[in-house]
Amino acid sequence: MRPLALVGVAAVAVGFVAVVNRSIAAAIDPSTVVVTLIGALAVVQGVRYANERRGRDRRAADPGEPERRAPATVPGADLDERIGRMTAASHGGYASRRELRERVRTVAVAAVARDRNCSTAAAERAVEVGTWTDDPTAAAFLASDASYPIGVRLRAGIRGRSRYGYGLRAAIDTIGRLDDDNPAEAAR
């Protein structure tokens, strides 16, 4: 064994014995000479470790590939996908469009009834006639005999989109504004 390692082993052994037997700890007088020797030994060990590290080659650690997360499902993503398919300028899907329009109509009737503090029948009449909102696009989407404003029809024709999408967006936004005006009522 190396002499420095022997000194270290002896120091550790004396430390363990001092912990077990307090009389040995009292016999060791920590004078300035002992403290100075311990400090010098610490400096020597520090220099030795520094010299050992100086000769090693340095290379960056490769953390590897990060774990891939499984994609989480987004609430409402299936509804957004259905709306996207229904608002595309395509023929067909009439039953799905009608079903979604009826769902929006039901929500609009409930929102109008809460906002105006009226009966459900009165709210249904207001939605059917188109007087439930000042937005003509939203009114045309849910009213039975109202037509879309000329600006919406032109935009839809130029962009190649369906008027249904414009009406759906306008109706949902209007319902949201009605519910925002009555936050206490909408929380029920």
Side-chain angles (χ1 to χ4, degrees), residues 74-86 99-100 103-104 168 172:
V74 178
D78 57 336
L79 181 62
D80 289 342
E81 182 181 324
R82 280 182 61 195
I83 289 172
R85 278 184 301 186
M86 285 185 256
E99 175 191 335
L100 183 60
R103 287 175 67 185
V104 172
L168 177 64
I172 290 173

Side-chain angles (χ1 to χ4, degrees), residues 101-164:
R101 186 176 301 204
E102 288 306 315
R103 287 175 67 185
V104 172
R105 183 186 317 272
T106 303
V107 173
V109 167
V112 169
R114 279 192 307 268
D115 183 56
R116 296 184 181 175
N117 196 18
C118 64
S119 68
T120 305
E124 283 176 355
R125 278 192 303 278
V127 169
E128 185 67 30
V129 175
T131 59
W132 69 284
T133 180
D134 294 334
D135 186 353
T137 307
F141 181 73
L142 295 178
S144 59
D145 60 348
S147 64
Y148 286 97
I150 188 74
V152 171
R153 286 187 272 170
L154 285 174
R155 247 181 301 167
I158 291 171
R159 293 183 178 167
R161 295 186 182 162
S162 164
R163 286 178 278 180
Y164 183 88

Side-chain angles (χ1 to χ4, degrees), residues 13-140:
V14 169
F16 280 132
V17 171
V19 167
V20 174
N21 190 351
R22 300 229 182 234
S23 63
I24 292 176
I28 300 174
D29 182 27
S31 64
T32 57
V33 174
V34 173
V35 172
T36 304
L37 284 175
I38 292 172
L41 181 63
V43 169
V44 168
Q45 279 295 90
V47 169
R48 188 172 70 88
Y49 283 133
N51 278 336
E52 282 182 13
R53 289 190 54 96
R54 203 169 28 169
R56 292 189 182 161
D57 61 334
R58 294 186 178 123
R59 46 179 186 219
D62 182 22
E65 285 292 315
E67 292 181 15
R68 300 282 181 205
R69 289 190 201 172
T73 58
V74 178
D78 57 336
L79 181 62
D80 289 342
E81 182 181 324
R82 280 182 61 195
I83 289 172
R85 278 184 301 186
M86 285 185 256
T87 57
S90 66
H91 299 94
Y94 177 75
S96 296
R97 288 182 180 190
R98 191 182 67 222
E99 175 191 335
L100 183 60
R101 186 176 301 204
E102 288 306 315
R103 287 175 67 185
V104 172
R105 183 186 317 272
T106 303
V107 173
V109 167
V112 169
R114 279 192 307 268
D115 183 56
R116 296 184 181 175
N117 196 18
C118 64
S119 68
T120 305
E124 283 176 355
R125 278 192 303 278
V127 169
E128 185 67 30
V129 175
T131 59
W132 69 284
T133 180
D134 294 334
D135 186 353
T137 307

